[in-house]
Amino acid sequence: MEPQLNLVRLKTMYEKMVLIRKFEERIIELVQEQGRIPGMQILANGQEAVAVGIIESLNAEDVIVSNHRSHGHLLAKGADPKYLMAEIMGKSGGVNKGKSGTLHLAVPEVNALMTSTVVGAGPPLAAGAAFAQQYRDEPNITVVFFGDGAAAEGSVHEAMNLAALWKLPLLFVCENNCWAGAQSYSQHCSIGNIAQRGIAYDMPGEYVDGNDVEKVYDLAVSMTDYCRKGKGPALIEAKTYRMRGHGENDHQHYVDKEELVFWTKKCPIGNLKEKMLKEGLITEDELQVVETVSKAIVDEAVAFADESPFPYAEEALDDVWVK
Ligand SMILES: Cc1ncc(C[n+]2csc(CCOP(=O)(O)OP(=O)(O)O)c2C)c(N)n1
Ligand SMILES: [Mg+2]
């Protein structure tokens, strides 16, 4: 790739990570203003490089399937922040007319097929999407994001087995953020690297520093290329950290504060910013523009959501398959 193109991509990835961070920071503020957002908010603060690095390697037609921690994936895939924020606030102008809220977001316009808050439900559904792509002889692939906790669910292993058996164009991305609810990784997982599980299904499995967007992107390019060539599925384990509680109602009383400090220093956005400044790839003025633009996008999203009404009760059964 041309060095100039590399730089354009790097800046784009930085902008996307900042937008995701600011979008979710605004959700934190809205949660704290009582009554502004219904339901539990589950954020991926600190995990932005996984969403952006993986999705930057995809085409618009490629499908993603996400989970309960989905905002970053959806924004990176190109979901409109206005309609996304409106949905998260339960408003009728939202991507799912206010009927999903944050936990079951789907943005079919950008091929973000669905998210499921049932832990481990995504991979079998993604295998279905990948099967459809293979059956229709499409050149596209599916990527499914799931957590380290989900990796132990039987449904994930069944999906891996079928995907490998049928050589489906499916990239499994395990976002290992060191926690599954209040259980730490060492309390719930029998092996050091979930990526090793690829061996069991005869698919490539590699882990990567999930806080380094360039490394995530590079590995994603080679793994998506593998899947796209019809060789079958692949597995990426992106090692990162959940910087907030499981949800915004969880104040992380069980988390070692030194561990939080350690990972704060590994912030994917802060570190990329430092690197770009040090190497003269970006100026302070340009960084300020990124901040201002993303803040304006988030402001606009919240203003749009505020103006949108809640759905009417009479609409509750619209758009459902069986009444
Ligand atoms: C089948 C199922 N079991 C339990 C839960 C409750 N639950 C929601 S998220 C979660 C932890 C998931 O951990 P992980 O897969 O690592 O994802 P993370 O939250 O860290 O992104 C649990 C146990 C659920 N939603 N679905
Ligand atoms: Mg986890």
Side-chain angles (χ1 to χ4, degrees):
M1 196 189 292
E2 296 285 315
Q4 197 54 28
L5 200 57
N6 264 332
L7 182 56
V8 171
R9 190 182 294 283
L10 195 61
K11 285 184 178 172
T12 303
M13 292 199 292
Y14 178 76
E15 285 164 9
K16 287 186 179 173
M17 289 199 294
V18 172
L19 175 63
I20 294 168
R21 176 71 60 90
K22 295 226 171 293
F23 187 89
E24 292 206 315
E25 282 177 349
R26 186 64 60 87
I27 291 175
I28 296 170
E29 288 171 20
L30 293 170
V31 166
Q32 286 163 0
E33 287 177 41
Q34 276 195 344
R36 292 273 288 185
I37 293 196
M40 183 174 179
Q41 291 302 315
I42 298 184
L43 309 180
N45 189 301
Q47 301 178 212
E48 296 86 353
V50 183
V52 171
I54 297 284
I55 290 172
E56 196 63 23
S57 75
L58 301 182
N59 300 328
E61 293 73 26
D62 291 331
V63 165
I64 65 164
V65 172
S66 180
N67 54 56
H68 51 282
R69 212 174 287 286
S70 68
H71 305 153
H73 305 144
L74 300 175
L75 286 170
K77 193 72 171 69
D80 187 317
K82 292 197 296 295
Y83 308 135
L84 198 60
M85 187 62 91
E87 187 60 45
I88 292 166
M89 288 170 73
K91 298 299 191 77
S92 60
V95 284
N96 307 122
K97 302 183 186 171
K99 294 177 187 175
S100 142
T102 178
L103 287 180
H104 299 279
L105 294 159
V107 192
E109 298 76 24
V110 297
N111 290 308
L113 208 57
M114 61 161 302
T115 63
S116 175
T117 190
V118 178
V119 172
L125 296 162
F131 176 78
Q133 289 166 326
Q134 184 189 62
Y135 186 75
R136 294 181 188 141
D137 211 13
E138 290 174 5
N140 314 320
I141 68 166
T142 297
V143 174
V144 60
F145 294 92
F146 59 101
D148 47 297
E153 292 282 349
S155 53
V156 175
H157 293 269
E158 290 175 37
M160 287 181 173
N161 182 52
L162 266 192
L165 182 67
W166 292 343
K167 295 209 175 308
L168 299 180
L170 176 53
L171 177 62
F172 293 91
V173 177
C174 178
E175 222 163 324
N176 182 350
N177 62 6
C178 300
W179 290 98
Q183 277 194 309
S184 67
Y185 184 75
S186 59
Q187 286 173 318
H188 75 71
C189 192
S190 60
I191 50 171
N193 300 311
I194 287 170
Q196 275 175 262
R197 298 224 172 112
I199 297 167
Y201 302 102
D202 198 19
M203 65 175 156
E206 283 187 45
Y207 66 83
V208 65
D209 178 351
N211 281 27
D212 183 330
V213 76
E214 292 176 274
K215 287 189 181 145
V216 175
Y217 172 74
D218 286 346
L219 181 58
V221 167
S222 68
M223 291 299 215
T224 51
D225 184 56
Y226 178 92
C227 298
R228 219 178 282 287
K229 283 185 174 140
K231 294 181 177 176
L235 168 64
I236 291 179
E237 176 190 4
K239 291 181 185 287
T240 180
Y241 197 80
R242 194 192 74 197
M243 292 303 297
R244 299 194 63 84
H246 173 66
E248 284 308 293
N249 55 330
D250 166 3
H251 301 292
Q252 297 176 293
H253 59 278
Y254 49 86
V255 175
D256 177 356
K257 299 298 169 267
E258 281 180 22
E259 191 172 286
L260 272 178
V261 171
F262 173 82
W263 282 93
T264 303
K265 289 184 187 145
K266 280 174 64 73
C267 171
I269 299 175
N271 285 347
L272 180 57
K273 179 171 144 179
E274 288 304 311
K275 178 198 150 132
M276 289 197 300
L277 272 175
K278 203 165 144 199
E279 295 181 6
L281 303 176
I282 203 160
T283 64
E284 291 282 5
D285 285 351
E286 285 174 306
L287 286 171
Q288 192 50 53
V289 172
V290 175
E291 294 282 311
T292 310
V293 168
S294 40
K295 181 179 178 303
I297 293 172
V298 175
D299 285 347
E300 187 191 12
V302 176
F304 174 82
D306 273 338
E307 274 178 27
S308 175
F310 284 108
Y312 293 107
E314 302 82 67
E315 294 167 11
L317 294 181
D318 291 351
D319 304 314
V320 295
W321 286 354
V322 180
K323 292 193 187 184

